[in-house]
Amino acid sequence: MSVAVLQTKPEEFPIPEGVFAETVTEVKHYTDNLFRFRTTRSDSLRFRSGEFVMIGLLNAKKPVYRAYSVASPNWDENLEFFSIKVPNGPLTEHLQKIQPGHTILIRKKPTGTLVNDALIPGKRLWMFSTGTGIAPFASLIRDPETYDKFEEVILTHTCREVTELKYGQDLIKEIKDDPLVGELIEGRLRYYCTTTREEYPFMGRITDLMKSGKLFEDLGVDPINLEVDRGMICGSMAMLNETKEILESFGLEEGANSKPASFVIERAFVG
Ligand code: A2P
């Protein structure tokens, strides 16, 4: 059987209660630390674009689950995820070995705050991401609802090295041919990516680029202002906190599903 690495004895580990068992359809490795995978999607697995699910593997009686943003939009018949590979990480040391045909467990009950519903109406939506934090935005930029709600969308992505930007760069190239949103995004979706530890045309932490104003200069837009702008943030705890402070200094206020406001943060991925 080709699934030996992760499912040595499937009969030993029945599918737990309350989970969807999906089949991996595609895996793409970007770097030694980053990969993307796609799976089937059960008809009853419903989520809002930008939400996350808990993912596990069928390799133990009590599988280890970790939060993963769904990177595909809610209309897509497949699911997509973008993952790091943590050496000795309880889940990712195994997850990084998955191949088409393997089973992924997904707990029922997607949730999350990076959703259009948690923002009050505005003209322009900023999505600030570092590393795999781009995943929920990969979902949202492919959802027509985002363009119903906002005239303009600006996605920023910062990584240490150039190769780590590839997932986002491919996404932006491919979205232009997307049958559902390809036309909608014309002149309305902007993408700004930077590196911090390798030479690239645009460099620096997004927080520094906001504070210096270079981000706005490079894009040729006015600085963030409450009348126009809304924000979503996904990255490490330090990045979330610093970006939050900056958005607050521009007069924006953090919201949640229960209390929509002018920006939202996803805290599910950071310890
Ligand atoms: P840097 O290389 O200067 O640390 P990580 O892999 O550590 O999560 O980092 C991903 C990206 O996020 C890196 O480019 C990193 O920059 C950047 N970053 C790390 N901490 C912050 C922060 N507090 N604010 C903004 N960006 C950050």
Side-chain angles (χ1 to χ4, degrees), residues 129-131 158-161 164 194-197 204-208 235-243:
S129 66
T130 54
T158 301
C159 292
R160 295 178 181 198
E161 293 171 11
E164 295 170 314
T194 69
T195 55
T196 48
R197 301 196 192 186
R205 288 185 171 192
I206 198 65
T207 41
D208 293 336
S236 64
M237 185 56 100
M239 180 272 191
L240 294 180
N241 288 338
E242 282 185 41
T243 312

Side-chain angles (χ1 to χ4, degrees), residues 3-149:
V3 292
V5 181
L6 300 165
Q7 290 164 243
T8 35
K9 292 176 191 153
E11 70 282 2
E12 225 178 87
F13 305 123
I15 292 166
E17 294 278 301
V19 301
F20 295 103
E22 304 295 352
T23 304
V24 176
T25 55
E26 197 192 302
V27 183
K28 183 171 175 177
H29 293 267
Y30 289 91
T31 67
D32 289 347
N33 301 317
L34 292 171
F35 69 113
R36 171 190 89 182
F37 59 97
R38 293 195 173 134
T39 73
T40 54
R41 174 181 176 187
S42 299
D43 288 343
S44 54
L45 202 171
R46 297 282 159 83
F47 64 96
R48 293 179 295 174
S49 295
E51 286 189 318
F52 69 89
V53 290
M54 301 302 290
I55 282 192
L57 289 168
L58 200 52
N59 61 353
K61 206 165 173 196
K62 282 201 170 167
V64 172
Y65 290 89
R66 289 286 180 270
Y68 273 84
S69 286
V70 181
S72 45
N74 65 1
W75 52 264
D76 198 325
E77 63 181 25
N78 290 300
L79 298 171
E80 180 177 307
F81 300 97
F82 184 45
S83 179
I84 44 168
K85 307 175 194 178
V86 184
N88 304 318
L91 178 63
T92 64
E93 71 166 326
H94 303 294
L95 191 65
Q96 63 182 278
K97 297 177 197 145
I98 52 166
Q99 286 166 22
H102 287 166
T103 301
I104 296 283
L105 304 176
I106 300 181
R107 275 204 191 134
K108 296 181 177 173
K109 260 220 141 319
T111 182
T113 39
L114 298 179
V115 291
N116 285 319
D117 293 346
L119 290 175
I120 54 173
K123 286 209 165 84
R124 184 165 57 200
L125 176 58
W126 292 86
M127 299 170 169
F128 300 104
S129 66
T130 54
T132 54
I134 192 174
F137 304 137
S139 172
L140 283 158
I141 63 169
R142 291 185 275 186
D143 188 339
E145 191 200 81
T146 304
Y147 305 94
D148 287 346
K149 211 161 165 189

